[in-house]
Amino acid sequence: MKQILNRLPRPALWLSLAALGAAACAPLNTYYKPGANVAQVSRATTACEVQALRDVPVSTQVRREPPRYIPPRQICDANNNCVTKGGFYVPGELVTFDPNVALRKRVETQCMADRGFAPVSIPACPASVARAAPARATTTLPALNENSCVIRNDGGSFQIVTRG
C-alpha cells in the first residue's frame, strides 16, 4: 500500500486518503437477515442483481441540455473607456442517463425480500468503540438493535458491534 501511495501525485494522494477516511465513517448499507451467513448475503445479492438486470435492462438515454445565451456586457477601464463585448451562446451539455435505475433497484429489493432479506443502514461505530473492539470480521449476521454499529476492516470485511 505504501508503495502505491508513494507513486501517486500529491492531490491524488490526498483524495485517496479522504475517500478511505470517508468510507470508514459511512454507514453500511446492505441487505440483512439475522443469522444469515455473510457469504449467503453476497450470493443472494448477486443473484438478485443479475435477475433485476435481466428483468429491467439498462436503457441508456442521451439528451442534450438546452443552450444558454450569455448577453452582451460592457467592460470599462479606470478612465471610463468602455467596450461592449457581444453576446454568445454556450451549447447545451450532453447528458447520459438510465431511466430504469430506480425500477431495477426496486426489483432487486423485492427479490431480496422474497429471500427473507431487508435493506438496512448500520451506522459506523464511534472511534472509541472501534479502538476498544477486538479486530475480527462478522461472518454470521447478529440481531440488530438501536445500539448496533459497524467497524469497516481492511479488505472490505466488516464487524458489527452491539454496544451496551
Side-chain angles (χ1 to χ4, degrees):
M1 175 79 164
K2 190 174 184 180
Q3 292 170 338
I4 293 170
L5 292 178
N6 285 337
R7 284 188 254 150
L8 290 173
R10 283 280 186 234
L13 172 64
W14 289 114
L15 287 173
S16 298
L17 292 175
L20 287 173
C25 298
L28 174 66
N29 297 312
T30 188
Y31 292 104
Y32 211 85
K33 178 167 63 171
N37 184 299
V38 172
Q40 288 174 315
V41 177
S42 180
R43 280 192 303 277
T45 302
T46 300
C48 287
E49 287 171 342
V50 169
Q51 177 188 333
L53 189 57
R54 186 176 45 244
D55 294 349
V56 186
V58 173
S59 175
T60 303
Q61 306 285 317
V62 179
R63 177 179 71 212
R64 181 175 290 280
E65 296 290 320
R68 292 182 303 130
Y69 179 69
I70 308 299
R73 62 182 195 267
Q74 191 174 44
I75 302 171
C76 300
D77 64 16
N79 296 327
N80 211 21
N81 296 316
C82 299
V83 176
T84 300
K85 297 274 187 172
F88 59 95
Y89 281 93
V90 176
E93 291 185 45
L94 283 178
V95 178
T96 304
F97 64 100
D98 177 5
N100 289 346
V101 169
L103 176 59
R104 191 167 36 257
K105 187 63 179 172
R106 287 195 313 271
V107 169
E108 175 190 320
T109 301
Q110 181 180 359
C111 174
M112 289 299 287
D114 291 346
R115 294 171 183 230
F117 293 92
V120 297
S121 182
I122 306 168
C125 291
S128 58
V129 172
R131 282 191 301 270
R136 69 176 82 133
T138 296
T139 55
T140 302
L141 300 178
L144 296 176
N145 66 32
E146 64 277 352
N147 294 322
S148 298
C149 62
V150 67
I151 301 167
R152 293 180 182 267
N153 301 324
D154 292 336
S157 67
F158 57 87
Q159 179 180 356
I160 297 173
V161 176
T162 300
R163 301 169 281 170

